[in-house]
Amino acid sequence: MAIKTTDLNARLFGKADKRRATNVTEAQTAARDKAAVIELAVAGEDTVAFELVKVNANDVSTQTIVFAENAREQAFLNEHALADILVTLKDRGQQYPAVGRWLDDGRIEVLDGSRRRMSCIIAHKDFLIYVAKGINTEHAKFLSDVANAHKPLSLFERGKEMQSLLDTGKVADQKELAKYLQCSEALVSGALKAASLPMELLMAYPSVGELGRPTIVKLHRIFFGLNHEQQQHMIADLSGDNASLWKTINAQGISRITREVTGKLEQLGEQLHPKVVIDKPTSQDLIKGKVSYMRDGDKLQLKLKKMSDRQINDVLAYLNDYLK
C-alpha cells in the first residue's frame, strides 16, 4: 500500500503534517482533515503556524478560557442553544477544531470555537483546538469576530456591539449605525432594546438566539414599564431559584417553551405592576330616543336625533351665546 510523502516524513523525521491555507476554503479543508499544523495569514498580515492540540475532556473547563472580547455571551450557552452541534458531537466527537492562542500561564484562550468548547464540556468530550503563540490582541479580536459568522449572534449580542459603537463615538446615532452596519433601523432598534435588558431576564429562556424582535420589544415594554424597585423585585424572582425559568416549563420544543416563558414573564410583570382599570364613560339618555350625552371629566358630548333645521339652529345659537 502506498504511503503519502507527508506520512513518510512524519515517520522518518518526526515531521508533522503541515498545511498552508491561503483562503477560507483551504483553511476549512485543513481543519476538516485535522492537519497537525495549519499556517494562516492572520488579518492579511504575517503567517502564523497553528498547532493542533487535544485537551482532555476532564481539563477543558480549567485548561481553556474564552477570549474576553468574544462577542458571544457565554452565559447563554446551554443544551438548547447548542442543540445544532451537540447531537453530532456526542455521536462522533468534534468535527472541526477550534482556534486559540497560548497564554503565559500555559492555558489556552479560545478565539474561535466557544460553542464547540462548551459543547465538549457538556458532552464530556475531548476538545480539539489549533493553538498559536504570539497572537496579539488586535489579531485575536479579528479571529474572534470572523468566527462569529459561523453562527449568527443573538439580538442581545449584536446590540452589545452596536451600543459599543455608539458609546465610543464611532457612529453618532441609530440612523448612522444602521448605515454603518448595512442593516435596517428596525433591527438596530430591536438589538439595542435587547442589549438594555438584564441578563437574568434573558436567561429565563432556553435559547436567547431564538428571541426575535417582537419578543424583545415585548420584554422591553414589560421590564421598563416597572419602576426601579419593581425591576429589582423581578430580577430577584428570576435569579432566586436554582433552576432557570425555562426549566420549570412542562413543554417540548424551543418555540413552545419560549412562548410559555414570555407568558410567565408577562404575568410576573402584571403582578408587580397591576394595570389600573379606568371605567370608560358611557352614554346616558337625556330624552329617550332623541337626546343622549356622555361625560368624560370636563368633556361633554351631546347626540341629538330627529332634529329639524329650526331646532338645530336654536340649539347652536343657545350654545354659542351661553359658552362665549
Side-chain angles (χ1 to χ4, degrees):
M1 180 178 176
I3 184 170
K4 293 181 180 179
T5 303
T6 50
D7 293 337
L8 181 61
N9 287 339
R11 292 183 189 181
L12 294 177
F13 308 109
K15 293 181 179 178
D17 176 26
K18 184 180 288 188
R19 198 82 62 85
R20 173 166 291 186
T22 57
N23 56 51
V24 174
T25 302
E26 289 180 2
Q28 290 175 340
T29 302
R32 183 191 61 214
D33 296 342
K34 299 183 178 66
V37 175
I38 293 181
E39 292 182 338
L40 295 173
V42 181
E45 297 181 14
D46 296 337
T47 299
V48 179
F50 289 82
E51 175 192 5
L52 184 61
V53 173
K54 182 171 76 172
V55 182
N56 187 281
N58 294 323
D59 301 325
V60 179
S61 59
T62 56
Q63 294 301 309
T64 67
I65 62 171
V66 177
F67 182 47
E69 294 185 46
N70 191 313
R72 201 174 298 282
E73 178 53 60
Q74 300 303 298
F76 297 154
L77 299 183
N78 56 38
E79 294 90 338
H80 284 283
L82 299 168
D84 57 316
I85 59 175
L86 258 179
V87 175
T88 304
L89 190 138
K90 286 178 179 178
D91 250 0
R92 307 176 193 172
Q94 186 182 344
Q95 297 300 297
Y96 287 90
V99 175
R101 63 176 177 174
W102 289 108
L103 297 177
D104 292 338
D105 61 7
R107 290 184 300 167
I108 296 171
E109 187 173 50
V110 180
L111 307 176
D112 165 12
S114 65
R115 299 179 78 247
R116 279 163 282 176
R117 172 185 179 271
M118 184 55 71
S119 295
C120 286
I121 292 173
I122 293 172
H124 197 67
K125 295 285 186 180
D126 293 341
F127 181 48
L128 299 175
I129 181 168
Y130 283 111
V131 194
K133 295 179 180 177
I135 302 289
N136 62 38
T137 302
E138 181 184 350
H139 287 172
K141 178 65 174 164
F142 170 81
L143 288 169
S144 179
D145 289 344
V146 169
N148 285 329
H150 301 323
K151 174 73 174 177
L153 297 174
S154 67
L155 274 176
F156 173 85
E157 292 160 338
R158 294 191 70 179
K160 286 292 185 185
E161 291 191 320
M162 291 177 185
Q163 190 60 58
S164 176
L165 290 173
L166 289 169
D167 292 344
T168 56
K170 195 159 190 176
V171 292
D173 52 32
Q174 291 189 26
K175 190 170 184 177
E176 191 176 325
L177 186 56
K179 288 182 180 178
Y180 180 79
L181 296 175
Q182 297 183 338
C183 63
S184 68
E185 289 184 50
L187 176 59
V188 169
S189 175
L192 290 174
K193 278 184 169 67
S196 69
L197 294 171
M199 289 285 291
E200 292 84 357
L201 191 64
L202 295 169
M203 290 183 70
Y205 288 90
S207 177
V208 176
E210 299 295 321
L211 300 182
R213 280 194 295 118
T215 302
I216 290 296
V217 170
K218 184 178 290 186
L219 292 177
H220 191 273
R221 185 174 65 248
I222 292 171
F223 187 73
F224 289 101
L226 306 174
N227 61 36
H228 179 71
E229 185 179 347
Q230 292 165 341
Q231 288 176 349
Q232 294 305 306
H233 200 302
M234 173 177 272
I235 290 173
D237 280 353
L238 293 173
S239 57
D241 297 326
N242 292 327
S244 299
L245 180 57
W246 67 268
K247 293 182 179 178
T248 67
I249 303 297
N250 185 22
Q252 296 295 321
I254 290 181
S255 297
R256 176 69 185 278
I257 296 173
T258 297
R259 287 196 299 271
E260 294 283 342
V261 169
T262 301
K264 293 274 188 183
L265 292 174
E266 285 182 301
Q267 292 175 13
L268 180 56
E270 288 175 5
Q271 290 170 10
L272 292 170
H273 185 62
K275 293 179 180 177
V276 179
V277 180
I278 301 174
D279 293 331
K280 293 183 178 180
T282 57
S283 180
Q284 304 288 328
D285 281 335
L286 184 61
I287 301 174
K288 194 168 184 178
K290 289 198 69 174
V291 182
S292 62
Y293 69 94
M294 186 165 63
R295 182 174 179 180
D296 182 9
D298 61 353
K299 299 175 184 176
L300 178 66
Q301 294 181 22
L302 285 172
K303 189 173 183 180
L304 298 90
K305 299 179 182 177
K306 301 175 184 177
M307 300 283 289
S308 66
D309 290 342
R310 179 181 172 184
Q311 288 175 318
I312 291 173
N313 291 332
D314 287 348
V315 168
L316 293 175
Y318 173 75
L319 289 173
N320 184 58
D321 182 60
Y322 184 77
L323 297 175
K324 274 185 180 178

